Structure formats: C-alpha cells, structure tokens
Amino acid sequence: MAIVFIGQPNTGKSVIFNFLTGAENIVSNYAGTSMEISKVVVDWEGKKVSVFDTPGVYSLHTSDPAVEQVKKLLQEEKIDLIINVVDASRLEVNLALTLELLEHSWPVVVALNQVDQAENLGLKIDSQALAGLLGCPVIETSTHNSQELKAIINNYIVKGIAGIKQPALISCTACGNAGMCSNCTMGEGIMERSQRARIIAEQVVNTANKKHYGWLEKMQTLIDAPFPGVLILLLVGYLGFVLLLKSIQLAEGPLTALLQPVNHYIAASIKSLLPPGLLSNILSLAVPEGLIVPFTIVMPAMLMVSIIMALLEDSGLLPRYSVAFARLGSLVGISGEAVIPLSLGFGCRTPAVVATRMITRERERFIVITILSIVIPCAATLGILTSVIAAFHVSPAIIVATMLITLVVLGLILNRLLPQEKLFVCELPPLRIPTWGNLLNKVKIRFAGFFTEVLPLLLVMSIAVRALLESGVLEHLYALEGISRSLFGIPAEALVAVLVTIFQRYLAPLILLHMALTPREATIAIAMISLSLPCLPAMVMIVREIGARGLLKILGMGFLTSFIVGISLNILLPL
Amino acid sequence: MTINELLPGQKATIIKINKGEAACNRLMAMGITPGTNITILARHPFRGPVTVDLGNNRMAIGQEIARAIEVDPE
C-alpha cells in the first residue's frame, strides 16, 4: 500500500509527514526544503504502508527537476492514496494543484493545513463546503494537530477504498480527456484550473475579518521594504557571523582542555597495546590529533551554523535574503533563488548541492554548483580557516577579500561562457516564530553528519597524513621546492599540503599546523586550500545531480582557480 | 503597462504574460495568472525585484519577468 504527500512548496507537507510516520524530514519556512522524495515504510494497523514525502510543486505540468521526480513516482508506484496538503492561508493558489490532482484517478484527501495561520489573517474557511465542491474529503490540520487526518488514514487503511469517497473522474479542463492528460495545451489547462480555483476559493473563504496586523506582520512589512529591510537583513547576517566566530573561539579552549587527558590516555593505550615501531608511532600521534581538530573546531562550527541556518529558515528570513540580493547576484550571473543554496553551503555543501534543484534553469544551476564547490566555505572549512588564521597570524581581511574577488571573477567568467535568461520569481512566506521542537529536530538531523561522516573521515585522514609524514614519502616531493617557491611563494611542503587538502579540506590544519610558515606563506596556502575543490561527499552529490561530466568541469575549474589564486597572491602580497 | 512600471501601493489586474510557454506555465502555476488582482508592495532599487501581493500570497518578481507581465492599473 502506498500513500503520497503532494502539495505546493511551503505548505507544511513535511510536518504532517513527520507527524504521521515519525520520520525526521527537514522542515523549513521557505519554498523548496524537501528536494528529494523520502520514503518511509510504516507498520500501520498491521499493514505495511509506504509513505512518500515529495518536493513541493506548483503544478505537474511545469518543467523543473522537482516536478519530473513527482511525475516519475506517480507513474512508477502503484499509488493508493494522495494526501494533498493545502495551505489554508493561500487557498486560491493551492487549489489549482488540487484540481489538477482530481483530474486523475487516484483517491485524494485534502489536508487543509495551517488553518491557525489563516485564522490569524482573519480568514474563515468552510471546509465542509470545500469538500462538497471538490468531491473529496477535506480535513483541517495544523502544525500541532493532525489527529483527525491520522484517523481518516487509519480508516482508509483498515477499510480500504470503501472508507473514503472516490473522486469522480473529472475530465481535463483543457481537452476533455479523463485521467492522465498529456496531449492538451497545458498552459490553457493551468489557466482554466486557476480560474476555477479562484471561484471555489471565493465561495468557501470568509474574508469578513480579513487581516489584523500583529507585530510580526509589521516586522514583515519593514523587512520586505528595500529600506530598512536590506539593512536589517545585513545586520542579522553580520550578527550570525560574529556569533559563529565567537562561539568557536569560546569553545576551543575548554574543549581542548577536556580532550587533553582523554588524548593522553588514548596515546598511552595505543603505545602499550601495540609493539613499538612505526605503526605504534603513527597511531599514537594520529588518533589524538584526529580528535582535536574535529571536536574543538569543526564541531562547534557545525553546531552553530546548523542553529543559525535553522533560525533563518524557520523564521522565513532566508527567502528575504534572496530578494534583497537578487540584483547583486545577477551581476555574477545568479538569480536571487541561488542565494538559498549558496547560504546553505555555509553549513554544509552536500545538502546545498541538492537544494540547487529549486533553480530550474540548467545553466544557472551549473554556475551555482560551481560557485558552491569552489568558493563557498562550509562550516568545516570555516573552522579550519579560523584555526590556521589564528595559528599563523594571517590577516582575515586578505582571505575574505580574496574569496569575494574570486566569487565575482568566477561568476562573471561563467556568466559570459553560459549566457542565460534570468527569470526570478520567489515566494515570500509569512514570517513565523520558530518552534523549539522543529529547531531541535533540524539541528539534530544536520548535526548528526558530524559523527557519521566528518569525525570518522577526519580520523582516517589524520592517520593517513601521519603515515605520510612519518614514512618520509613527502621528502621526495621537496624536489618541487623551486617551482613552488617561484610560482606560489610557499615551501614545497606547504604545496604538498595544498595538493593533498584539495581532495579533502579537513586535512588542512593537520598538515599546515605542523609546519613553520610565515604569515605570508600561510595566507597563500590557506587561500589556495579554501578556493579549490569540494569535499568527497559533495563530489558524490554533484555526480548524482549533474553527472560525472559536470563534476569533471568543476574539478578542472577548481584546480585552475586554486593555482591562479596562489600565483596572484604571490605576485600581489608584499614580501 | 507592465508590472515594473507600477509604483508601490498601486493596484492592478494582470492581463497577459508575454513569455514563452515554459515560463508562462511556471508563473501561472504559482498563481500569477491573467485576471489576478495585485498590489505592488515595493520596488527594489537598481532594477531589483518588485514585491507583489497576490491576495494572501506574496511574491518577489525579477525585472525580466516584471517587464513581461501586462497589467491594467486601477
């Protein structure tokens, strides 16, 4: 048995899905959070039920990656029930999709969600009348209450189709065909459907008490105005950044102190367990080293970024950034929509690559993934940057300026190479107060990656680096000294570090911190590392999203960028 | 007249979208359809996006699209 959740972006599908299945899907207050279909198999009333959560779509007749995914699911799976999640506060727009779904033969239940939000706006919706007009059950749900929907689905699962009224097979509004319609002029279908949706909405929505302005709405009006909106957004962004740096600084000392006895114990245990020799030497040094950097730098950075991103997402501020910076972005060839995946990249690039699916134009998507891979520092990279900056007294201003200049130059070049039509439309969800439950859930999901991916990877890499250092293999590469010095102005040892870390940025401090570098050398080395290749998990995701050829192009550009940055800084920075 | 020519606070009705089929379908599915009444909320400077109230839905529309949406001002 299969149940699918379908709805327009930002209607609360994932909240209801999570409530019904107990799954932990990320829920945000902006259009396009679920970019992939999630499937959970639940044991429901003794039956195995597959429940699918899908990315938000406005219509099944538009062409973008999310729509293709949903269509594929609907064609390949035998669907028993569709839960169409509808935002009660935006009924008219949402009903267009409902009408479209009702044109097919699947049984549909409409979950009229965010009724509380609509009531706050002074909108009363007659859900019974709506059910009558649509010819399918309409259940009121809110973030806090989906019990009735659960009961309906229970009933459906136990009693089968009989428990629910099958919608009459409404013929396609455009061509009159019943069922799956693929041969009519879709545009006309969409237009007629939205006109019908408007008529239905007018009949069931009581707008007599419409709009009472709360402080949140006043705030929204301020933020949505170009002035002072952009200033407020910049201030919030700056505060977030300061908070991030401060928390890393504050956490590093106490965490290092806490780890020290643990690390002594680990080193001593390894030495006592293994016979003395190269292996014992490598492991007793590498394991403690491999714990220090992730726990003292990467962990606080990832945690803080997860919290800040969750706050921005749930409050509804994130899409406001894309509007405020739409013009700025268009200078480097990206539309405002790209701001969302790009800012997600500051947390972790891997989900950010997935989030680029909200960009429907392929060329722009490639540009954004390239910028994301090469320029945007993720939480882990930021942690490493700060540690190297602190250790070698590097000027943060030079690093930031280098990154910004690279961003603009790379964007301009890509924009030239891949000219494109810029079509920016972005929904602005109402501002909301983030809920503790959702916030915790989100931070938990995002942060879980630290223990499952980052920590094990860093530990393995740390051992590999130690092995390289102890085995003396690196010494053979010192022949590169001349080339390295003349091109990049850094010792061969540091160039080797750059080359290694190009494949795994987390390694940067492990290698660099062992060396005696001047601030100038450290600046060049860390700039080359920061502006290079995406990490392995991100590479895997890029292949999944845009294919191996796309990744190869990005890798080529990454190497080139890194070398050009190194050479340029070597020429520009005073000796 | 097109959306980008309207001033903040001005109300209008969408008449026509002068764009290719794919873009039109996308806009109409998002609720930007002929016949919709809109209110301009703000215009971002330097030819930035226009924010529009479509009933209970707010949208930001880039200049390229705003120039393609014909409206009948009130």
Side-chain angles (χ1 to χ4, degrees), chain A residues 120-352:
Chain A
N120 278 343
L121 291 167
L123 304 171
K124 275 240 169 289
I125 293 154
D126 186 342
S127 53
Q128 282 196 335
L130 183 61
L133 287 167
L134 292 173
C136 69
V138 175
I139 313 297
E140 288 189 16
T141 54
S142 70
T143 331
H144 323 287
N145 183 13
S146 307
Q147 290 296 348
E148 201 187 339
L149 181 68
K150 197 169 188 172
I152 287 272
I153 298 174
N154 269 344
N155 199 21
Y156 178 74
I157 290 167
V158 176
K159 295 183 190 162
I161 303 249
I164 227 163
K165 198 175 144 194
Q166 273 254 49
L169 216 64
I170 305 172
S171 52
C172 169
T173 39
C175 67
N177 278 348
M180 197 71 145
C181 168
S182 56
N183 59 348
C184 62
T185 321
M186 300 309 178
E188 283 171 26
I190 290 177
M191 218 176 115
E192 277 191 33
R193 243 177 261 123
S194 54
Q195 272 160 4
R196 271 176 53 204
R198 181 175 307 151
I199 295 167
I200 295 176
E202 276 166 9
Q203 281 177 278
V204 298
V205 183
N206 181 347
T207 53
N209 303 314
K210 197 182 160 188
K211 277 192 186 158
H212 84 111
Y213 279 90
W215 66 271
L216 212 55
E217 276 187 50
K218 280 186 193 138
M219 194 70 204
Q220 186 175 322
T221 312
L222 273 183
I223 289 175
D224 283 346
F227 180 84
V230 177
L231 286 182
I232 297 175
L233 290 173
L234 281 175
L235 191 70
V236 171
Y238 176 74
L239 285 178
F241 194 66
V242 169
L243 199 66
L244 173 67
L245 289 181
K246 281 272 172 238
S247 61
I248 296 172
Q249 277 171 5
L250 279 177
E252 201 180 342
L255 285 175
T256 314
L258 266 177
L259 266 178
Q260 232 151 24
V262 179
N263 276 347
H264 278 304
Y265 175 75
I266 293 173
S269 315
I270 291 172
K271 277 197 174 146
S272 66
L273 280 173
L274 293 174
L278 194 61
L279 188 67
S280 160
N281 267 352
I282 292 172
L283 288 182
S284 63
L285 283 169
V287 176
E289 278 168 1
L291 292 176
I292 287 246
V293 174
F295 274 111
T296 58
I297 299 161
V298 183
M299 186 179 76
M302 266 184 84
L303 191 64
M304 219 44 221
V305 171
S306 309
I307 295 171
I308 295 170
M309 286 309 297
L311 282 172
L312 287 181
E313 287 170 5
D314 285 8
S315 58
L317 281 176
L318 205 53
R320 263 91 192 168
Y321 279 93
S322 61
V323 176
F325 300 114
R327 183 72 193 126
L328 217 58
S330 71
L331 294 178
V332 291
I334 54 172
S335 70
E337 283 151 305
V339 173
I340 292 175
L342 287 180
S343 46
L344 281 176
F346 283 96
C348 177
R349 274 180 262 222
T350 313

Side-chain angles (χ1 to χ4, degrees), chain A residues 31-53:
Chain A
T33 319
S34 314
M35 280 299 159
E36 296 197 294
I37 291 173
S38 327
K39 177 183 175 181
V40 174
V41 180
V42 281
D43 195 16
W44 209 322
E45 302 287 329
K47 288 186 185 173
K48 287 257 173 284
V49 182
S50 307
V51 190
F52 297 89
D53 185 23

